[in-house]
C-alpha cells in the first residue's frame, strides 16, 4: 500500500508501467556471449578455404520494404494493463526492497545537499556573534542610560553626541519661533483639558505629546495628517481610553489639501523635536493601551512604566541613539557575509547583501537573526542587572522581533517548500535526460518502420 494518493492519470500510469515491467521480465533474451568469437572463427575458416570475404564498404545493401509498427493508443494500453494487473498498482511495485532503500538514500542525499547550502559554518556564526556583541558593547558603554541633570538630559558619550547634534541642527530659539508661527500650528496640540470637549486623562504639558497620536513620529504621518485635515485630536489617555474630538479653539489650524497637511505635520515635528519633553519614540503612544501588569516594587502596569520612561527622557532623540547599535549589528553582519562570499569565489554582484531572500543569499537571514539575538540577549541582561526600564533598547527589540518572525517563517514554512522544490527539480532534470534518451532510441528504431498510432 502506497503512502501517496494518486490522481486518476497517475494511477493509469502506474498500472501501465507495472504491466510493461512484468512483460519485459518474461522476455527470454538469447545468450550473446561468444558470438564475436564465433564470427571470427568462421571468417578464418572461409579464408582458409579460399573464399574471399567482402568488406563492409563493398557490400550491396538491398533496400527492404519498411515494416509497419503499430503503436497502441493510451486508452488501449490502460485497458490491457488493468486486465493484466488490475487498477491498484503503486510505484513501489516497480522496485525491489533494495532499490527502494537506494531511492530513499538518494532523496535523503538531495535533502542534505540543500540543507548544506543553508547551514552556517563556524565563520558564519563567528561573524554573527561578533556583530551582536559589538552592538551590545556600544549600547552598554557608549549609549548608557539617559538621566536628567542640571545641564539637561545626559547619557553615554554617543548619546550626548547625538543629542548635541540635534540641538545644533534645530536651535532652541529657532524652534520656539517656528512653534509660534501659523505654519506649524496643528489641531491636535492641546496641552491640557481647558479647551477639550471630552476630558483626556493625564493631558498636560509633560505628557500631551505622548498621549496625542499626531505627535508619534510614525503614526503621526497618518493619524496626524488626518487630524489636520479634519480638525480633530486623536488621543490615548493615561488610562488607555481612545478619544477623537474636534476642538473649536483650534478650528483655524486645519488644511484641506493633503500635501499642505503633510507639510504642516512635518513642520510641527521639527518644532517639537528638541523641546524638553520632545517627540515620543515611534509607536510609544500605543503602549498606553497596555493597562495590565504588576511590575517592580510599585506594581506598575506596562502603560505606567512607559509613561515614566518618557517623562525621564526616553524620547525620539534617544530612540535615534539606540538605533546606532542596531545598525552596527546589521552592517557588520552584512559586510562580513559579503566579504566571506567573495572570498569563497562568488561574484561581487551576487555577494551584495541587500536582500535577506534565502534563495539569493542562503545564510544571510539566519546570520542576522543570530546577531540580533545576541545583541538582544545582552540588552535583556542589562535591563535585568540595572533594574531600570530606561535601559531597554527599543529599536533592538523591534529588530529582534522582525528577524525572529522571518526566521520562524523560513524554518517552518518556506524552507520545507523550497527544499521540496529543489529535490523535485533535481529529479525532473534526471527524468528529462531519460525521456530524451527514450525519444532518441525510438526515433532511431522507427527509421525502418512505418509508424501507425493505433
Amino acid at each position: 500500500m502506497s503512502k501517496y494518493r494518486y490522481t486518476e492519470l497517475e494511477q493509469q500510469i502506474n498500472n501501465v508501467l507495472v504491466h510493461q515491467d512484468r512483460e519485459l521480465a518474461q522476455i527470454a533474451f538469447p545468450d550473446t556471449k561468444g558470438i564475436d568469437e564465433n564470427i571470427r572463427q568462421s571468417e578464418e575458416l572461409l579464408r582458409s578455404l579460399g573464399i574471399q570475404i567482402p568488406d563492409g564498404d563493398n557490400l550491396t545493401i538491398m533496400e527492404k520494404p519498411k515494416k509497419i509498427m503499430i503503436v497502441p493508443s493510451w486508452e488501449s494500453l490502460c485497458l490491457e494493463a488493468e486486465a493484466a494487473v488490475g487498477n491498484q498498482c503503486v510505484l513501489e511495485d516497480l522496485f525491489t526492497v533494495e532499490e527502494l532503500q537506494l531511492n530513499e538514500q538518494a532523496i535523503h542525499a538531495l535533502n542534505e545537499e540543500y540543507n548544506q547550502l543553508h547551514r552556517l559554518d563556524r565563520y558564519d556564526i563567528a561573524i554573527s556573534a561578533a556583530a551582536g556583541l559589538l552592538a551590545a558593547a556600544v549600547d552598554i558603554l557608549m549609549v548608557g542610560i539617559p538621566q536628567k541633570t542640571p545641564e539637561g538630559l545626559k547619557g553615554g558619550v554617543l548619546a550626548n553626541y547625538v543629542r548635541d547634534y540635534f540641538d545644533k541642527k534645530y536651535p532652541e530659539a529657532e524652534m520656539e519661533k517656528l512653534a509660534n508661527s501659523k505654519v506649524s500650528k496643528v489641531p491636535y496640540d492641546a496641552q491640557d483639558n481647558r479647551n477639550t470637549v471630552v476630558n483626556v486623562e493625564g493631558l498636560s504639558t509633560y505628557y500631551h505629546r505622548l498621549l496625542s497620536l499626531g505627535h508619534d513620529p510614525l503614526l503621526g504621518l497618518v493619524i496626524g495628517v488626518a487630524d489636520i485635515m479634519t480638525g480633530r485630536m486623536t488621543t490615548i489617555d493615561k488610562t488607555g481610553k481612545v478619544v477623537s474630538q474636534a476642538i473649536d479653539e483650534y478650528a483655524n489650524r486645519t488644511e484641506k489639501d493633503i500635501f499642505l497637511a503633510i507639510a504642516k505635520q512635518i513642520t510641527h515635528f521639527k518644532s517639537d523635536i528638541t523641546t524638553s519633553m520632545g517627540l515620543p519614540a515611534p509607536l510609544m503612544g500605543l503602549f498606553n493601551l497596555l493597562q495590565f501588569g504588576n511590575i517592580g516594587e510599585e506594581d506598575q502596569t506596562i502603560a505606567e512604566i512607559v509613561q515614566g520612561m518618557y517623562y525621564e527622557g526616553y524620547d525620539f532623540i534617544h530612540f535615534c541613539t539606540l538605533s546606532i547599535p542596531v545598525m552596527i549589528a546589521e552592517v557588520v553582519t552584512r559586510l562580513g557575509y559579503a566579504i566571506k562570499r567573495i572570498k569563497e569565489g562568488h561574484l561581487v554582484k551576487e555577494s551584495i547583501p541587500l536582500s535577506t531572500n534565502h534563495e539569493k543569499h542562503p545564510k544571510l537571514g539566519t546570520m542576522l537573526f543570530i546577531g540580533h539575538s545576541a545583541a538582544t540577549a545582552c540588552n535583556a541582561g542589562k535591563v535585568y542587572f540595572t533594574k531600570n526600564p530606561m535601559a531597554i533598547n527599543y529599536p533592538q527589540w523591534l529588530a529582534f522581533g522582525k528577524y525572529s518572525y522571518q526566521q520562524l517563517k523560513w524554518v517552518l514554512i518556506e524552507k520545507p517548500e523550497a527544499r521540496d522544490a529543489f529535490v523535485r527539480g533535481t529529479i525532473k532534470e534526471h527524468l528529462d535526460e531519460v525521456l530524451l534518451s527514450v525519444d532518441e532510441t525510438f526515433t532511431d528504431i522507427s527509421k525502418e518502420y512505418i509508424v501507425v498510432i493505433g
Side-chain angles (χ1 to χ4, degrees):
M1 187 68 181
S2 176
K3 59 183 178 180
Y4 301 106
R5 181 176 296 178
Y6 299 109
T7 64
E8 182 179 354
L9 177 60
E10 289 172 341
Q11 185 62 64
Q12 291 176 341
I13 293 174
N14 290 348
N15 299 336
V16 171
L17 287 175
V18 171
H19 174 54
Q20 297 293 331
D21 182 63
R22 293 182 182 178
E23 289 288 306
L24 288 171
Q26 294 176 4
I27 296 176
F29 293 96
D31 186 8
T32 59
K33 184 178 181 182
I35 287 180
D36 291 339
E37 180 61 23
N38 292 336
I39 292 174
R40 188 187 63 77
Q41 292 177 1
S42 299
E43 289 177 347
E44 289 180 356
L45 177 61
L46 290 173
R47 290 191 185 96
S48 67
L49 296 174
I51 301 174
Q52 185 177 0
I53 301 175
D55 296 332
D57 295 337
N58 298 325
L59 290 175
T60 301
I61 300 176
M62 296 179 63
E63 185 175 350
K64 298 180 181 179
K66 290 187 175 182
K67 298 179 181 179
I68 296 176
M69 178 190 295
I70 299 177
V71 179
S73 66
W74 176 250
E75 288 76 13
S76 61
L77 280 174
C78 291
L79 291 174
E80 180 184 346
E82 289 184 16
V85 297
N87 62 353
Q88 297 297 322
C89 297
V90 295
L91 277 178
E92 287 85 344
D93 294 338
L94 296 170
F95 304 96
T96 64
V97 174
E98 292 76 12
E99 288 172 334
L100 289 173
Q101 291 176 347
L102 290 175
N103 289 342
E104 286 189 14
Q105 292 173 7
I107 298 297
H108 179 75
L110 288 174
N111 284 325
E112 183 59 27
E113 181 182 345
Y114 182 83
N115 290 336
Q116 189 61 36
L117 295 174
H118 298 269
R119 184 174 291 127
L120 304 188
D121 59 30
R122 58 180 179 176
Y123 298 107
D124 298 321
I125 296 174
I127 291 170
S128 305
L133 294 176
L134 177 61
V138 172
D139 180 22
I140 295 171
L141 301 176
M142 301 185 69
V143 174
I145 300 175
Q147 295 179 347
K148 289 184 176 181
T149 69
E151 292 78 28
L153 205 60
K154 297 295 180 180
V157 176
L158 185 59
N160 294 339
Y161 174 82
V162 173
R163 194 166 292 276
D164 289 342
Y165 171 81
F166 274 94
D167 288 338
K168 292 178 181 178
K169 186 73 174 177
Y170 306 102
E172 182 180 355
E174 291 185 16
M175 294 304 102
E176 186 176 349
K177 183 178 178 180
L178 180 62
N180 293 325
S181 67
K182 184 178 179 181
V183 294
S184 70
K185 294 292 185 180
V186 292
Y188 57 76
D189 201 30
Q191 298 186 17
D192 51 46
N193 285 295
R194 284 178 296 176
N195 299 309
T196 58
V197 178
V198 180
N199 185 72
V200 179
E201 186 67 30
L203 189 64
S204 66
T205 54
Y206 290 107
Y207 290 108
H208 77 281
R209 295 188 183 98
L210 177 65
L211 305 184
S212 171
L213 297 183
H215 286 98
D216 187 286
L218 188 61
L219 295 176
L221 296 174
V222 178
I223 298 176
V225 171
D227 282 350
I228 291 172
M229 297 183 69
T230 58
R232 305 184 71 82
M233 181 175 74
T234 304
T235 56
I236 303 177
D237 71 13
K238 293 186 71 173
T239 64
K241 181 181 178 182
V242 180
V243 177
S244 179
Q245 59 183 306
I247 302 176
D248 294 337
E249 188 72 18
Y250 302 145
N252 60 343
R253 299 183 178 186
T254 61
E255 293 287 353
K256 298 303 180 185
D257 184 275
I258 186 171
F259 296 105
L260 293 177
I262 292 173
K264 183 183 281 285
Q265 176 69 24
I266 294 173
T267 302
H268 189 74
F269 278 161
K270 182 179 177 181
S271 68
D272 281 349
I273 195 168
T274 54
T275 54
S276 59
M277 299 298 293
L279 297 175
L283 306 179
M284 201 172 185
L286 296 181
F287 285 88
N288 290 320
L289 296 171
L290 306 182
Q291 300 289 324
F292 55 85
N294 295 288
I295 304 171
E297 296 178 356
E298 299 180 9
D299 293 334
Q300 293 179 301
T301 64
I302 295 175
E304 290 172 338
I305 291 290
V306 173
Q307 291 160 14
M309 290 169 62
Y310 174 72
Y311 179 80
E312 293 295 332
Y314 205 111
D315 57 7
F316 177 71
I317 295 178
H318 187 59
F319 177 87
C320 292
T321 306
L322 291 171
S323 299
I324 295 176
V326 183
M327 289 189 289
I328 289 174
E330 193 82 12
V331 171
V332 171
T333 302
R334 290 177 184 267
L335 186 61
Y337 171 86
I339 293 173
K340 183 172 180 289
R341 289 274 290 181
I342 294 171
K343 190 174 180 180
E344 289 172 346
H346 294 88
L347 297 175
V348 175
K349 183 179 179 181
E350 295 175 352
S351 303
I352 298 175
L354 296 179
S355 169
T356 56
N357 184 296
H358 282 270
E359 296 305 312
K360 293 181 180 179
H361 302 289
K363 302 178 181 180
L364 181 58
T366 303
M367 290 175 65
L368 287 168
F369 168 70
I370 292 175
H372 285 291
S373 296
T376 305
C378 291
N379 184 246
K382 178 183 176 182
V383 176
Y384 175 79
F385 287 109
T386 61
K387 307 297 183 184
N388 189 344
M390 296 289 287
I392 296 173
N393 189 321
Y394 179 33
Q396 183 60 72
W397 284 91
L398 290 177
F400 172 69
K402 170 192 171 184
Y403 286 113
S404 295
Y405 168 76
Q406 290 182 349
Q407 187 67 13
L408 193 63
K409 182 181 177 184
W410 161 248
V411 171
L412 298 181
I413 301 175
E414 295 176 350
K415 186 177 180 180
E417 293 178 353
R419 183 173 53 213
D420 183 64
F422 172 81
V423 173
R424 289 178 180 272
T426 305
I427 294 174
K428 185 178 183 300
E429 289 177 4
H430 294 314
L431 179 60
D432 289 342
E433 293 176 3
V434 173
L435 294 177
L436 179 61
S437 176
V438 171
D439 289 340
E440 291 174 348
T441 302
F442 180 79
T443 300
D444 186 56
I445 293 175
S446 63
K447 289 178 181 177
E448 301 178 3
Y449 292 86
I450 297 174
V451 180
V452 177
I453 306 298

